[in-house]
Amino acid sequence: MAPDTCCCSRGTLKRRLPILAWLPVYSLQWLKMDFIAGLSVGLTVIPQALAYAEVAGLPPQYGLYSAFMGCFVYLFLGTSRDVTLGPTAIMSLLVSFYTFHEPAYAVLLAFLSGCIQLAMGFLHLGFLLDFISCPVINGFTSAAAITIGFGQIKNLLGLKNIPRQFFLQVYHTFLHIGETRVGDAVLGLACMVLLLVLKLMRARMPPPHPETPLGVKFSRGLVWTVTTARNALVVSFAALVAYSFEVTGRHPFVLTGKIEEGLPPLRAPPFSVTRDNKTVSFSEMVQDMGAGLAVVPLVGLLESIAVAKSFASQNNYRIDANQELLAIGLTNMLGSLVSSYPVTGSFGRTAVNAQTGVCTPAGGLVTGVLVLLSLDFLTSLFYYIPKSALAAVIIMAVAPLFDAKILRTLWRVKRLDLLPLCVTFLLCFWEVQYGILAGTLVSLIILLHSVARPKTQVSEGHILVLQPASGLQFPAIDALREAIMNRALEASIPRCTVLECTHVSSIDYTVVVGLRELLEDFRKQGVTLAFAGLQVPVLRTLLAADLAGFQHFSTLEEAEKYLQQETGPQPYNIHEDSVQSTRSPC
């Protein structure tokens, strides 16, 4: 094999298996930092996984089943050293919408989502995510934060028989507020306060530096560990309190209850399920999940890649978006073999990973092992975790997702972007897929309007000069023709016109047809339409079209000079979008 071919093959292999790029240079210092980071993330993900299973409407163990496969797959395929894959609040909310709180549906959804994500990765379709704008994403995440957070009020207050549909949930929560269990409410609020205090301490406490004196380093390291693992600490504290009451025979808290012990069985995802003594076939399950087969994989990719890009930008390295698609797709496919529901990149745990000083994706190996050990040895202890404590963990985790500051930012930057944000935000309370779809359509309409009606700088005078500020595509040609006709040919005295095309990089057949008709209209009126500054591809296209009366000049000055020889120089004004300003004579 030729040397160039060998180099190309090695390069391709490293792109597909990024572990080959960093493993040969792995060091003991990296191992130490990765171990600390992986341990910190593991202590964060275990209580969160139990809580997110509640959001997804599944038994608690399914949260843990979903929390380890991504750690192992991303070790080999991930291009970001910071990202951790696993259950998240938003993905759990989507699962609850589309799987009817049936574990079989959730596992099958993970498998099918993985297949779709893998296909998108192999076909390099990651660019489709670019059509979901930031206002749409913010509208969705803010609505999800409210939906998830309010959905945990029932557990925080110990209320029962509260429906899951958001508007019914709000109504019944206030209707049954008098049935609040004092024990759950006090413990839940205490956990929230403790989590908030530890979070503020964590924000003010930098990680211990290697050169810090040993005593100070130990105390700072202890505070750092406690505040970073605050979820595990608070949940353990709450479980200890609940256990102490249970021993005395009192039951002031609603507990998580019995969790299935041991590791999940390795088996194929269910392609049929029995519900109400009736067997539901694979095709019927797919029909039942409906829009979830598009929404879940797309939102999963969007969330994961957004997290990866954010931390890559902060920490000055690059990621491969299509490789990320492959990583998350394979994670969901293989995860379905161990009863996982769909997962994605977690912003909160990724932040813990980055701030703890992770060096490579090997930190995920420690996290995955820790989750497996908890499944094998600690599930009996999870029985005593109060649901109000898990509700506090979820509420504090999703609170930062609600972004009110973006309203002020969009008002200053571009007020029109408030429209897709508000549409997405409001409709997501009705149906998530309608909110995302409607917000995306509004964003695309705004985008297409700018394509169909590009801003055009107009220089009024004896010679009319029009300069489109952006590309010229088929939706824009009618508006351009109308502007030229109104100003040049339908004036009291028809005027020669220059179309300055410096910013036009490509045109299509519809534009060529429109320009041919425009040249014919000018010829009939006995005036000239000249073109200036055409880029080479556009010039070739117009020359190939053999337009009658086509005249092109390299610069605007040449075109104006030529037309002035025929008409004589006259002063004129320049304006853009009907706003006029004085321009000096030719």
Side-chain angles (χ1 to χ4, degrees):
M1 185 180 292
D4 289 346
T5 305
C6 291
C7 292
C8 184
S9 300
R10 285 197 296 268
T12 302
L13 190 60
K14 283 185 177 181
R15 281 201 308 274
R16 294 303 179 201
L17 286 174
I19 188 175
L20 298 178
W22 55 262
L23 188 60
V25 294
Y26 200 73
S27 65
L28 288 175
Q29 179 63 24
W30 286 7
L31 177 62
K32 174 186 172 184
M33 299 304 295
D34 286 345
F35 180 82
I36 295 172
L39 189 63
S40 302
V41 174
L43 293 174
T44 302
V45 72
I46 291 172
Q48 280 190 344
L50 295 170
Y52 289 152
E54 159 68 23
V55 176
L58 302 173
Q61 65 269 18
Y62 281 88
L64 294 174
Y65 293 166
S66 307
F68 64 85
M69 183 58 74
C71 301
F72 301 132
V73 172
Y74 204 79
L75 171 68
F76 294 95
L77 299 181
T79 60
S80 168
R81 66 171 181 258
D82 300 305
V83 167
T84 62
L85 300 181
T88 66
I90 289 177
M91 193 55 59
S92 301
L93 177 68
L94 294 178
V95 169
S96 74
F97 283 155
Y98 298 114
T99 62
F100 320 104
H101 311 147
E102 287 279 352
Y105 276 84
V107 174
L108 180 61
L109 182 58
F111 175 76
L112 296 177
S113 296
C115 292
I116 293 169
Q117 290 163 339
L118 270 179
M120 290 183 67
F122 282 122
L123 296 175
H124 294 251
L125 296 179
F127 73 92
L128 293 176
L129 301 177
D130 296 338
F131 289 97
I132 304 178
S133 64
C134 285
V136 173
I137 296 170
N138 277 272
F140 163 63
T141 53
S142 294
I146 293 175
T147 302
I148 295 167
F150 197 90
Q152 292 306 305
I153 297 296
K154 63 180 185 293
N155 291 327
L156 193 73
L157 302 180
L159 302 178
K160 295 183 179 180
N161 301 320
I162 303 296
R164 285 182 172 269
Q165 204 282 332
F166 178 74
F167 296 107
L168 291 176
Q169 196 173 76
V170 173
Y171 172 75
H172 283 277
T173 297
F174 285 106
L175 183 66
H176 297 285
I177 197 76
E179 302 171 13
T180 298
R181 294 169 60 100
V182 177
D184 283 303
V186 172
L187 182 63
L189 293 174
C191 288
M192 288 181 64
V193 171
L194 187 55
L195 284 169
L196 180 60
V197 170
L198 291 174
K199 181 178 180 180
L200 294 176
M201 289 176 62
R202 167 69 178 74
R204 294 175 178 273
M205 178 65 66
H209 193 273
E211 298 180 1
T212 305
L214 188 60
V216 177
K217 185 177 181 180
F218 176 78
S219 60
R220 285 188 179 179
L222 182 61
V223 174
W224 171 266
T225 303
V226 168
T227 54
T228 301
R230 57 186 176 274
N231 289 331
L233 180 69
V234 168
V235 168
S236 300
F237 164 76
L240 187 62
V241 170
Y243 178 74
S244 64
F245 276 100
E246 292 289 321
V247 169
T248 62
R250 287 179 289 177
H251 311 285
F253 311 118
V254 178
L255 303 181
T256 298
K258 184 175 177 57
I259 297 178
E260 188 173 328
E261 296 185 12
L263 302 177
L266 186 65
R267 60 190 175 195
F271 294 104
S272 64
V273 65
T274 302
R275 294 179 67 190
D276 302 325
N277 297 321
K278 177 186 175 183
T279 300
V280 182
S281 66
F282 172 71
S283 60
E284 291 173 322
M285 293 177 73
V286 169
Q287 290 175 6
D288 289 342
M289 288 186 283
L293 292 175
V295 174
V296 171
L298 284 176
V299 172
L301 292 176
L302 187 67
E303 189 174 0
S304 187
I305 291 178
V307 170
K309 284 184 176 180
S310 174
F311 283 87
S313 175
Q314 289 178 26
N315 298 319
N316 197 29
Y317 63 88
R318 296 177 62 84
I319 64 161
D320 183 339
N322 284 301
Q323 181 66 23
E324 292 294 306
L325 300 189
L326 298 178
I328 189 174
L330 192 61
T331 293
N332 280 319
M333 279 189 66
L334 295 181
S336 68
L337 303 180
V338 290
S339 302
S340 166
Y341 66 79
V343 301
T344 185
S346 165
F347 190 90
R349 295 193 297 275
T350 299
V352 171
N353 209 23
Q355 292 164 0
T356 316
V358 71
C359 296
T360 70
L365 185 62
V366 180
T367 301
V369 169
L370 198 60
V371 174
L372 290 175
L373 289 175
S374 70
L375 272 169
D376 214 16
F377 300 108
L378 300 179
T379 46
S380 59
L381 300 178
F382 295 154
Y383 177 94
Y384 296 101
I385 297 176
K387 285 192 174 182
S388 59
L390 294 179
V393 169
I394 294 174
I395 291 172
M396 296 304 294
V398 300
L401 294 178
F402 183 80
D403 185 7
K405 294 179 180 178
I406 192 174
L407 294 173
R408 186 174 59 184
T409 303
L410 291 180
W411 184 263
R412 292 199 310 263
V413 175
K414 187 179 181 182
R415 296 176 185 178
L416 194 58
D417 280 341
L418 288 168
L419 184 59
L421 183 142
C422 293
V423 167
T424 305
F425 178 78
L426 294 174
L427 288 183
C428 276
F429 290 112
W430 176 31
E431 289 284 351
V432 172
Q433 68 269 25
Y434 296 151
I436 296 174
L437 181 60
T440 302
L441 286 176
V442 171
S443 293
L444 289 177
I445 289 171
I446 294 172
L447 175 64
L448 291 175
H449 182 268
S450 66
V451 173
R453 299 293 184 269
K455 289 185 178 180
T456 302
Q457 180 175 287
V458 181
S459 301
E460 295 277 10
H462 190 64
I463 298 174
L464 181 68
V465 180
L466 290 93
Q467 183 179 31
S470 59
L472 193 58
Q473 302 299 329
F474 69 90
I477 186 60
D478 285 340
L480 182 64
R481 280 193 64 198
E482 184 177 351
I484 295 176
M485 295 280 287
N486 289 339
R487 289 183 168 92
L489 301 183
E490 295 180 4
S492 56
I493 301 176
R495 294 179 291 176
C496 294
T497 301
V498 179
L499 190 58
E500 210 286 328
C501 301
T502 304
H503 301 298
V504 179
S505 58
S506 65
I507 59 174
D508 53 39
Y509 177 71
T510 305
V511 173
V512 172
V513 172
L515 293 177
R516 176 182 284 117
E517 294 173 354
L518 200 56
L519 285 167
E520 179 64 20
D521 291 335
F522 269 78
R523 186 189 64 78
K524 290 177 180 178
Q525 295 284 350
V527 288
T528 303
L529 172 63
F531 296 81
L534 288 173
Q535 298 187 27
V536 174
V538 179
L539 179 59
R540 287 176 178 171
T541 301
L542 294 178
L543 290 174
D546 195 21
L547 302 179
F550 173 69
Q551 295 187 59
H552 168 251
F553 299 89
S554 299
T555 64
L556 175 61
E557 288 74 16
E558 290 180 7
E560 288 179 329
K561 183 177 180 181
Y562 172 79
L563 294 178
Q564 286 168 7
Q565 289 175 354
E566 296 183 354
T567 61
Q570 297 288 336
Y572 53 90
N573 297 324
I574 180 172
H575 64 84
E576 180 177 335
D577 291 339
S578 301
V579 178
Q580 294 193 2
S581 59
T582 303
R583 178 178 174 180
S584 59
C586 300

